[in-house]
Amino acid sequence: AARIRYDFDVIELSALTAIHIGRATAEPLHDRPSRLLEILQSKQWSYFDYLPGRYGQTPCLDDAICCVAARVRQWITNHSKPTRQVLELYCRAVKSLQAALDDPCERLHPNVLCATEVLSIYELLDGDRGHAWYLHAAGASSLIRLRGPNAYQTDFERALFIAQVGPIYTESILKISHCFLQQPAWQSLFQSLMTESTNLPVCGNTAASMWACISKIPGLFRSILSLVSNPPETACATRDLLLTRFLKLRSQLMALGKKHNFTSTVRCGPTDFSYLLADRPETDENYELLGLFTASLLILERNVVILDESTAPVMEAHVQQLAWEILALKKDASASKPRAAISLALKVMIAKAAVLTAGEWQQAFCNRGPDGMISEGVIRRWVGLSSPRRVTRAFDELLKRSREVNLETVASHSAYFGMMFCQSMYGVDENEDSS
């Protein structure tokens, strides 16, 4: 019915439920609206596959589908701010969703969770309401948790869960807070996705194993920040324990990369973007998975830099290499894999934040405090670079400046970028050597 009314099939929006879609995705869409048409041609298995059979069952889901279908139809024909008709459909969808959430008997129904996730796509396409996307994503995350790990038995419910794992993880990283997905019951759900979901595509199985591993990162990160901000009398022992746990998790992630044939390399430094995707086919899903793997490894190793004074210089150099690999991967994907390129937007933001803070981090691990760790302020400034436009503007400006300097290695590029950024944003002493 929605397809007939709005001349658009919402199933085509399956690409916007990719492995790691987030608010950063909206920036490239709004910069070049025609990208949406390219993305719609890259369908994938998702909860959208089950919507035709569920249309007409639940008012809030019907309203969400009509709202998003109308907005996408308008976007495709004449990209502009939502029309009055679209806004009326949106208000109706929000009102009916709120009514469902207020009903204790209805709020845990999978169609209500689905309506919340569908509406988040509307917010993704509305560049003036970035905060609203976070509210919908947080609402969906709360519903996922409220329903509990045993509530995802059908393929439809599991597809809803998989589509929301990325935003849940991202929110935990940006807030430096524990992620509930690290709890044993949720880890068991990941395990069942890998062994019992017959309709889950192969890439979904790989993604589930990766999410099970990296969902433990935010909690460990939170523990590090607590240690740095309020060190106990046993700080050294706590630091050693955290370092052991981070290195173990890093080994597990590396083993997953090896198992699934993921490898990547920057061959000629940051001015020559190229990458190697081992023996895996060059599909959207594999680009997305490699991006997720590389960005997660970058975050893990940045945390090791905080804890381990002896390996910090080598580990930070590898962090910078990983950052350039992500940028190389994005450049490659942009040429022929529009859906993958869009889903890599958040990883690109993570990579650029690492490059932009390289100089400050190099200074920080050369001038550690008495406890041997990097300061809380340095850590928070790195994580605080969460605005896609802010990071992109700063990165592009520093890239432009770097062309005036003869730099030969990834490490020296990154140190230069980081030093210039810290001088302009944080007032770092420009006489400090960062090479």
Side-chain angles (χ1 to χ4, degrees), residues 363-412:
Q363 289 188 42
F365 63 66
C366 290
N367 300 283
R368 293 174 183 263
D371 56 9
M373 290 183 292
I374 289 175
S375 71
E376 179 182 0
V378 171
I379 298 170
R380 286 195 178 277
R381 281 193 288 273
W382 166 45
V383 179
L385 287 173
S386 58
S387 168
R389 288 195 180 276
R390 179 188 176 197
V391 171
T392 298
R393 283 196 300 267
F395 186 86
D396 290 347
E397 175 61 25
L398 294 176
L399 187 62
K400 180 180 178 181
R401 294 184 194 177
S402 75
R403 295 192 182 103
E404 303 171 3
V405 183
N406 182 20
L407 300 173
E408 297 180 352
T409 65
V410 171
S412 59

Side-chain angles (χ1 to χ4, degrees), residues 253-315:
L253 184 59
M254 294 291 285
L256 277 174
K258 184 176 181 180
K259 176 182 177 181
H260 297 297
N261 295 323
F262 284 130
T263 183
S264 58
T265 180
V266 176
R267 298 173 182 173
C268 303
T271 56
D272 179 15
F273 295 103
S274 56
Y275 88 104
L276 177 64
L277 189 56
D279 298 322
R280 299 182 67 88
E282 293 186 14
T283 63
D284 286 287
E285 292 83 1
N286 284 330
Y287 272 91
E288 294 163 17
L289 286 167
L290 180 55
L292 179 61
F293 168 78
T294 309
S296 300
L297 188 58
L298 184 157
I299 294 171
L300 269 172
E301 295 192 350
R302 254 284 166 95
N303 279 275
V304 173
V305 171
I306 299 171
L307 295 168
D308 191 4
E309 185 175 3
S310 63
T311 64
V314 173
M315 196 66 74

Side-chain angles (χ1 to χ4, degrees), residues 250 254 297-298 301 312-323 325:
R250 179 179 181 272
M254 294 291 285
L297 188 58
L298 184 157
E301 295 192 350
V314 173
M315 196 66 74
E316 175 63 16
H318 194 232
V319 164
Q320 298 305 316
Q321 181 185 1
L322 291 171
E325 288 178 358

